[in-house]
Amino acid sequence: MLLPTQRPHLVLAFIAVAAITFIYHRFQQRKKLPLPPGPPAEPLLGHLRIVPTEHPEFQYTQWGKDYNSDILHFSMLGRSIVVLNSIEAARDLLDKRGANFADRPRFVLFEVMGWGITLTFLRWSPRFKLHRKMLQQSFTQTACKAYRPVQVEEARRASRAILHDPQNWEMLLRQFSTAVVLRIGFGIEIQEKDDPYVKMAIDVEEATGEGGVPGSSLVDFFPLLRHLPSPLPKLSALLAPLTHARRTKASIQQLHDAPWDAVEPSIRSSKNLQPSFMHTHFGRYLENEASGKENAATIEDIKGAAGAISIAGGNTTWSTIIVCVLNLILHPEVQDKARAEILAAVGVDDNGDILRLPTFDDRPQLKWLEYIIQETTRWMPLSPLGVPHASIAEDTYKGYRIPAGSVVYANAWAMSRDERYYSSPDNFAPERYVPVSEGGKGEPLPDGPFGFGRRVCPGQYLALSGVYIIMATLLATMDLKCPVDEQGNEIKPTVKWSNGLSSVPDSFGCLMTPRSERSRILLEG
Ligand code: HEM
């Protein structure tokens, strides 16, 4: 009798048949797996009219409870939408299986709006990897230390400006966050008053905010609709986002082009010595070009990546600062504790006046302020549904099938309200993070506000240090209070939150007054 080793081709054939049978069975089994649960859908339209267009994160959270599942499935005109309602599901899929969930859906509405080659909206591709590498390397925790002097300088400049014009505090804080990203991205310094870039940042924020949840408009499902001639038929409210995108295109285009156009000539003629992302990458590009070396990135790539810093980093940081201010005036006891901690770090004289302004060296001592900032990002996640990811291949999770090409939302709102981790989650309570060893509850720091996996926000360390330095400077030098009416009664602000990519509060009043003459002198310094 011939032994199997004497007939290697038979053995190989046997292995091949077994492998094909195994794969076929796995495939069949997968096909039989159900989709994750979700509410009943309508024929053809699926859940298009069932998922609310205003703040869908709330309803997604409720459905998660109703169906007792942290993964939900919706079908919109035949496309699969998967919503992840827990930190575990987001970690399991978006982090641990990151390679399969690193894509983005095509954002047709945002394309119409004029978003250029911006990392946030790039599909999984060699270009995505190039942009991701450029931005990620520039904003690691260590790399961000280099930007501290700019952040300190701008925080003091903004606080000084608030001393002179306290009514305008909201705009001046916006100026702070815009100034930081424009200096880091392009080496541009903004004007103290009526700066055009600040105006552009406001326009872009309004335009993007009103664009709704990314990837969810009718034109995202039927890209050909973008070619409909203007004015669009008023047949359906479903075309309103397209009209809005066409109307606001110019403002978004401008924020992409204006800073680049302002700086390009001086870098080309080597007159611009301001260090910046653009200076590094465009300078290198020009050197390579001059010496005949190949450039991995085109000018369009560098322009898009530099633009991503100012566009993704300005309004986001500003909004977090504003939400922090809101909570500090609503919770004076939280504010007092933060200030006491800061005064202990910077030292006070016999009159209780601060001896110096806070710096980044104080950050390790300012734990309470750190908890306040973390609680701000949890209490109102800036991007409640994140920026959607998309799956590349079919996958399975907890016995459910996730079709290839699914749009995947990580519901940061649901995660922030998860009662398994957060007691009374609607309350703003920084003390929840105090470790058990220090007599606290030891609740976990929020995980979802900056996203997940291979698309996690590359600017998170820059953002958090910006929020830290401006809040530490304001608290050291000013009292932040609710405005008062004519009778002297406090007016507690109640705010509305914008819908869409980011949840930003509308304007509210706050009284910012210097704490002492010393504070004023130090800021004027
Ligand atoms: C508090 C402020 C900020 C918040 C809350 C925030 C939040 C986010 C979120 C939720 C995402 C989507 C992550 C995902 O898809 O999983 C994101 C992506 C991104 N963020 Fe931020 N961000 C902030 C500040 C910044 C800053 C300062 C920069 C500037 C460097 C920045 C640059 C980006 C970019 C380029 C992306 C796209 C990443 C990609 O698609 O691969 N962000 N951010």
Side-chain angles (χ1 to χ4, degrees), residues 221-240:
F221 294 100
F222 298 112
L224 281 179
L225 288 179
R226 67 183 292 178
H227 301 298
L228 276 177
S230 284
L232 291 168
K234 289 194 179 135
L235 290 177
S236 150
L238 292 174
L239 284 177

Side-chain angles (χ1 to χ4, degrees), residues 339-359:
R339 185 168 298 104
E341 186 186 60
I342 294 169
L343 297 195
V346 300
V348 287
D349 63 13
D350 293 344
N351 298 326
D353 278 347
I354 47 170
L355 298 176
R356 61 173 176 85
L357 293 172
T359 66

Side-chain angles (χ1 to χ4, degrees), residues 483-506:
V484 286
D485 64 18
E486 280 163 11
Q487 284 75 45
N489 302 316
E490 269 198 346
I491 310 168
K492 296 244 181 229
T494 46
V495 297
K496 274 213 206 117
W497 301 88
S498 64
N499 179 42
L501 181 59
S502 41
S503 206
V504 180
D506 56 8

Side-chain angles (χ1 to χ4, degrees), residues 94 102 104 118-122 128 132 135-136 139 181 305 308-321 377 381-383 385-389 410 448-464 467:
L94 307 184
R104 295 268 193 229
T118 310
L119 174 61
T120 319
F121 303 120
L122 285 182
F128 158 77
R132 184 83 209 175
L135 285 163
Q136 202 161 291
F139 296 105
V181 287
I309 300 169
S310 66
I311 296 175
N315 289 330
T316 45
T317 308
W318 169 75
S319 173
T320 308
I321 296 166
T377 66
L382 175 85
S383 210
L385 285 174
V387 181
H389 293 219
F450 289 97
F452 294 93
R454 300 191 185 188
R455 308 298 300 231
V456 70
C457 174
Q460 58 181 313
Y461 301 114
L462 182 73
L464 292 175
V467 181

